Coordinates of all heavy atoms in Angstrom, one line a residue:
T281 N -199.7 25.2 -68.3 CA -200.2 25.7 -67.0 C -199.4 25.2 -65.8 O -199.5 25.7 -64.7 CB -201.7 25.1 -66.8 OG1 -201.6 23.7 -66.7 CG2 -202.5 25.5 -68.0
F282 N -198.4 24.4 -66.1 CA -197.6 23.8 -64.9 C -196.8 24.9 -64.2 O -196.5 24.7 -63.0 CB -196.7 22.7 -65.4 CG -197.3 21.5 -65.9 CD1 -196.6 20.6 -66.7 CD2 -198.7 21.3 -65.8 CE1 -197.3 19.5 -67.2 CE2 -199.4 20.3 -66.2 CZ -198.6 19.3 -67.0
N283 N -196.4 26.0 -64.9 CA -195.7 27.1 -64.2 C -196.6 28.2 -63.7 O -196.1 29.2 -63.2 CB -194.7 27.6 -65.2 CG -193.6 26.6 -65.5 OD1 -193.1 25.9 -64.6 ND2 -193.2 26.6 -66.7
Q284 N -197.9 28.0 -63.8 CA -198.9 29.0 -63.3 C -199.3 28.6 -61.9 O -200.4 28.0 -61.7 CB -200.1 29.1 -64.3 CG -199.7 29.5 -65.6 CD -200.9 29.5 -66.6 OE1 -202.0 29.3 -66.1 NE2 -200.6 29.6 -67.9
D285 N -198.5 28.9 -60.9 CA -198.8 28.4 -59.5 C -200.1 29.1 -59.0 O -200.3 30.3 -59.3 CB -197.6 28.9 -58.6 CG -196.3 28.1 -58.8 OD1 -196.5 27.0 -59.3 OD2 -195.3 28.7 -58.6
V286 N -200.9 28.3 -58.3 CA -202.1 28.7 -57.8 C -201.8 29.7 -56.6 O -201.0 29.5 -55.8 CB -203.0 27.6 -57.3 CG1 -204.2 28.2 -56.5 CG2 -203.4 26.7 -58.5
K287 N -202.5 30.8 -56.6 CA -202.4 31.8 -55.5 C -203.6 31.8 -54.6 O -204.7 31.6 -55.0 CB -202.2 33.2 -56.1 CG -201.2 33.4 -57.2 CD -199.8 33.2 -56.6 CE -198.7 33.6 -57.7 NZ -198.7 32.9 -58.9
I288 N -203.4 32.0 -53.3 CA -204.4 32.1 -52.4 C -204.7 33.6 -52.2 O -203.8 34.4 -51.8 CB -204.0 31.5 -51.1 CG1 -203.8 29.9 -51.2 CG2 -205.1 31.7 -50.0 CD1 -203.4 29.3 -50.0
Y289 N -205.9 34.0 -52.3 CA -206.3 35.5 -52.3 C -206.3 36.0 -50.8 O -206.8 35.3 -49.9 CB -207.7 35.8 -52.8 CG -207.8 35.6 -54.3 CD1 -209.0 35.9 -54.8 CD2 -206.7 35.4 -55.1 CE1 -209.2 35.8 -56.2 CE2 -206.9 35.3 -56.5 CZ -208.1 35.5 -57.0 OH -208.3 35.4 -58.4
L290 N -205.7 37.1 -50.6 CA -205.8 37.9 -49.3 C -206.5 39.2 -49.6 O -206.4 39.8 -50.6 CB -204.4 38.2 -48.7 CG -203.6 37.0 -48.3 CD1 -202.4 37.5 -47.5 CD2 -204.2 35.8 -47.6
G291 N -207.4 39.6 -48.6 CA -208.0 40.9 -48.8 C -209.1 41.0 -49.7 O -209.5 42.0 -50.2
D292 N -209.7 39.8 -50.0 CA -211.0 39.8 -50.8 C -212.2 39.9 -49.8 O -212.3 39.1 -48.9 CB -211.0 38.5 -51.6 CG -212.1 38.6 -52.8 OD1 -213.3 38.7 -52.3 OD2 -211.7 38.5 -53.9
E293 N -213.2 40.8 -50.2 CA -214.3 40.9 -49.3 C -215.1 39.6 -49.2 O -215.8 39.5 -48.2 CB -215.2 42.0 -49.8 CG -215.8 41.8 -51.2 CD -216.7 42.9 -51.7 OE1 -216.5 44.1 -51.1 OE2 -217.3 42.8 -52.7
R294 N -215.0 38.7 -50.1 CA -215.7 37.5 -50.0 C -215.2 36.4 -49.0 O -215.8 35.6 -48.6 CB -215.9 36.8 -51.3 CG -216.7 37.6 -52.4 CD -216.5 37.0 -53.7 NE -215.1 37.3 -54.2 CZ -214.7 37.0 -55.4 NH1 -215.6 36.5 -56.4 NH2 -213.5 37.2 -55.8
E295 N -213.9 36.7 -48.5 CA -213.3 35.8 -47.5 C -212.2 36.6 -46.8 O -211.2 36.7 -47.3 CB -212.7 34.6 -48.1 CG -212.3 33.6 -47.0 CD -211.8 32.2 -47.6 OE1 -211.9 32.1 -48.8 OE2 -211.5 31.3 -46.8
N296 N -212.7 37.2 -45.7 CA -211.7 37.9 -44.9 C -212.1 37.8 -43.4 O -213.3 38.2 -43.1 CB -211.7 39.4 -45.3 CG -210.7 40.3 -44.6 OD1 -209.5 39.9 -44.5 ND2 -211.1 41.4 -44.0
P297 N -211.3 37.2 -42.6 CA -209.9 36.8 -42.8 C -209.8 35.6 -43.6 O -210.8 34.9 -43.9 CB -209.4 36.6 -41.3 CG -210.6 36.2 -40.6 CD -211.7 37.0 -41.2
V298 N -208.5 35.2 -43.9 CA -208.2 34.0 -44.6 C -207.3 33.1 -43.7 O -206.4 33.5 -43.1 CB -207.4 34.3 -45.9 CG1 -206.8 32.9 -46.6 CG2 -208.3 35.0 -46.9
N299 N -207.7 31.8 -43.7 CA -207.0 30.9 -42.9 C -206.1 30.1 -43.8 O -206.5 29.4 -44.7 CB -208.0 29.9 -42.1 CG -208.9 30.6 -41.1 OD1 -208.4 30.9 -40.0 ND2 -210.1 30.8 -41.4
L300 N -204.7 30.2 -43.4 CA -203.8 29.4 -44.2 C -203.3 28.2 -43.4 O -203.1 28.5 -42.2 CB -202.5 30.3 -44.6 CG -202.8 31.5 -45.4 CD1 -201.5 32.4 -45.5 CD2 -203.5 31.2 -46.8
T301 N -203.1 27.1 -44.0 CA -202.5 26.0 -43.2 C -201.3 25.4 -44.0 O -201.2 25.6 -45.2 CB -203.5 24.9 -42.9 OG1 -203.7 24.0 -44.1 CG2 -204.8 25.4 -42.4
C302 N -200.4 24.8 -43.3 CA -199.3 24.1 -43.9 C -199.6 23.1 -45.0 O -198.8 22.7 -45.8 CB -198.3 23.6 -42.9 SG -199.0 22.3 -41.8
H303 N -200.9 22.6 -44.9 CA -201.4 21.7 -46.0 C -201.1 22.2 -47.4 O -200.9 21.5 -48.3 CB -202.9 21.5 -45.8 CG -203.5 20.4 -46.6 ND1 -203.9 20.6 -47.9 CD2 -203.8 19.2 -46.3 CE1 -204.4 19.5 -48.3 NE2 -204.4 18.6 -47.4
D304 N -201.0 23.6 -47.5 CA -200.9 24.2 -48.8 C -199.6 24.9 -49.0 O -199.3 25.6 -49.8 CB -202.0 25.3 -49.0 CG -203.4 24.6 -49.0 OD1 -203.5 23.6 -49.8 OD2 -204.3 25.2 -48.4
W305 N -198.6 24.4 -48.2 CA -197.3 24.9 -48.4 C -196.7 24.5 -49.8 O -196.9 23.3 -50.2 CB -196.3 24.3 -47.4 CG -196.2 25.1 -46.0 CD1 -196.6 26.3 -45.9 CD2 -195.6 24.6 -44.9 NE1 -196.4 26.7 -44.5 CE2 -195.7 25.6 -43.9 CE3 -195.0 23.4 -44.5 CZ2 -195.2 25.4 -42.6 CZ3 -194.5 23.3 -43.2 CH2 -194.7 24.3 -42.3
I306 N -195.9 25.3 -50.3 CA -194.9 24.9 -51.4 C -193.5 24.6 -50.8 O -193.0 25.5 -50.1 CB -194.8 25.9 -52.5 CG1 -196.2 26.4 -53.0 CG2 -193.9 25.4 -53.6 CD1 -196.9 25.3 -53.7
S307 N -193.1 23.4 -50.9 CA -191.9 23.0 -50.1 C -191.2 21.9 -50.9 O -191.7 21.3 -51.8 CB -192.1 22.7 -48.7 OG -193.0 21.5 -48.6
N308 N -189.9 21.6 -50.5 CA -189.1 20.6 -51.0 C -189.5 19.2 -50.4 O -189.0 18.1 -51.0 CB -187.6 20.9 -50.8 CG -187.1 22.1 -51.6 OD1 -187.7 22.2 -52.7 ND2 -186.3 22.8 -51.0
S309 N -190.2 19.2 -49.3 CA -190.7 17.9 -48.8 C -192.1 17.9 -48.5 O -192.7 19.0 -48.4 CB -189.9 17.6 -47.4 OG -190.1 18.8 -46.5
P310 N -192.7 16.8 -48.4 CA -194.2 16.8 -48.2 C -194.5 17.6 -47.0 O -194.0 17.3 -45.9 CB -194.6 15.3 -48.1 CG -193.4 14.6 -48.9 CD -192.2 15.4 -48.6
P311 N -195.6 18.5 -47.0 CA -195.9 19.2 -45.8 C -196.8 18.4 -44.9 O -197.3 17.3 -45.3 CB -196.7 20.4 -46.4 CG -197.4 19.8 -47.6 CD -196.3 18.9 -48.2

C-alpha cells in the first residue's frame, strides 16, 4: 500500500467546495 498515494476528492457532491491546505502537500521538505 505504500505506493498507493491517498487522493483528495474534488467535485464530489458530499463536499463541494473543497478546502486544500499546505498541511497535505507532498513535498521534499516538511510542509
Side-chain angles (χ1 to χ4, degrees):
T281 66
F282 296 164
N283 292 320
Q284 299 173 14
D285 292 330
V286 173
K287 308 293 192 304
I288 299 173
Y289 288 180
L290 301 189
D292 190 298
E293 62 182 10
R294 292 167 294 184
E295 186 173 4
N296 185 47
V298 170
N299 294 286
L300 304 174
T301 77
C302 57
H303 189 276
D304 296 313
W305 274 346
I306 306 297
S307 63
N308 292 326
S309 56

